[in-house]
Amino acid sequence: MVNSNILVNPPIVSNPTPEAKPFLVLDNLSKVYPTPTGPYTVLENVNLTVSEGEFICLIGHSGCGKSTLLNMVGGFTQPTTGEVRLPTGVVTQPGPDRMVVFQNYSLLPWKTAFENIYLAVKSVFPHKSKKEKIEIVREHLALVGLEEAADKKPTQLSGGMKQRVAIARALAICPQVLILDEPFGALDPLTREDLQEELLDIWRRHQVTVLMITHDIDEALFLADRLVMMTNGPAATIGEVLNIPFSRPRNRAQIMEDPTYYDLRNYALDFLYHRYAHDDAA
Ligand SMILES: Nc1ncnc2c1ncn2[C@@H]1O[C@H](COP(=O)(O)OP(=O)(O)OP(=O)(O)O)[C@@H](O)[C@H]1O
C-alpha cells in the first residue's frame, strides 16, 4: 500500500473542466442497467470536458464502468441521464467521427490487412474514387509501418501488427475522436512500448482527440495530457483528474528521471490502492 504522506510535491489535480475551448463534453452522465435483482447503477454524475486534440487516459478498477463510459461516447449505448456532446451535436448513435480500437483487434480474419482498412474506407467514403481509396489505405499502412504486410491476413500477423492495422483502420476514416479500449493490454512489454511511441507520433500528426482506457499507470503517464481516475462501482464516477505536465515530444528515459513522474505515479497508486482500494486488488 502506498502512503500519500510520502509525496514530496503533490501533483496538480485539475478540475474536470479545463479552461480551453470545450470539444467533447460528458455532461452529468449516468448509466443504470436493469438486472433480475433490480436496477444497477454503474455510473453516476460523470462530468468531463475534453479539449480538441487532447489525449485523455482513463484508469480505474475492473468493473467500475470504464468501457460503459467509452461505449456511451462511441454511441453504442445511451446514457440513462445526461448527454455526450461534440461540436456537431449530441451523440445518439455510433458514427465515423468516433472510431473505437479494442484490445482484441477485431479485424476480419478472412481479409488481408489492406482489405480490412479498405472496407472501412469504402463504407465511410463511398464517393471517393477507387484510386483515392487505395491511396488512403496505403498512406495509413505506411503510417503504422506495415506497407510490407499489406497482403497478409490477421493469422499471419503478430499481435502488435494486428493492433497497428486496427489503429490504421480507425484513423483512415479521419475520426474526430479515437477511442481506445485497453488497446495494448494483450501485447508483450516491448511491443507495448513500441506501440505507445507510435501512437504518440500518430496522435501528434493527426491531431485527433484520444480517449484511452488503460490499467497501466506508467502507460498513462507517458501518453496522456490528463489522467482521469475513476472511483469504484456501483455508481462509480470520476474521482480525480491528474494533469500530466511533461513537455512533448516525450522521451521515456527523460520522463523517468523527472521526480514529478514519481510524485504522479505515487499519487495515482495511492488513489487506486489506498483511497479507492478494490476488494480484489487491495
Ligand atoms: N448490459 C449490462 N447489463 C448489466 N450490467 C452490465 C452490462 N454491461 C456491463 N454491466 C456491468 O457494469 C459494470 C461495469 O462494466 P464495464 O465493462 O464498463 O467495466 P470496466 O471498468 O470497463 O471493467 P474492465 O476493466 O474489467 O474491463 C460491471 O459490473 C458489469 O458487470
Side-chain angles (χ1 to χ4, degrees), residues 58-64 66 214-215 228-232 272:
L58 217 76
I59 208 161
H61 289 294
S62 186
C64 73
K66 302 179 294 295
T214 178
H215 280 104
V228 171
M229 301 191 290
M230 306 280 301
T231 64
N232 296 328
L272 287 174

Side-chain angles (χ1 to χ4, degrees), residues 33-35 40 42-43 60-69 71 181-182 213 215:
Y33 285 115
T35 71
Y40 179 74
V42 178
L43 294 165
H61 289 294
S62 186
C64 73
K66 302 179 294 295
S67 297
T68 302
L69 186 56
N71 281 335
D181 194 343
E182 259 212 280
I213 294 176
H215 280 104

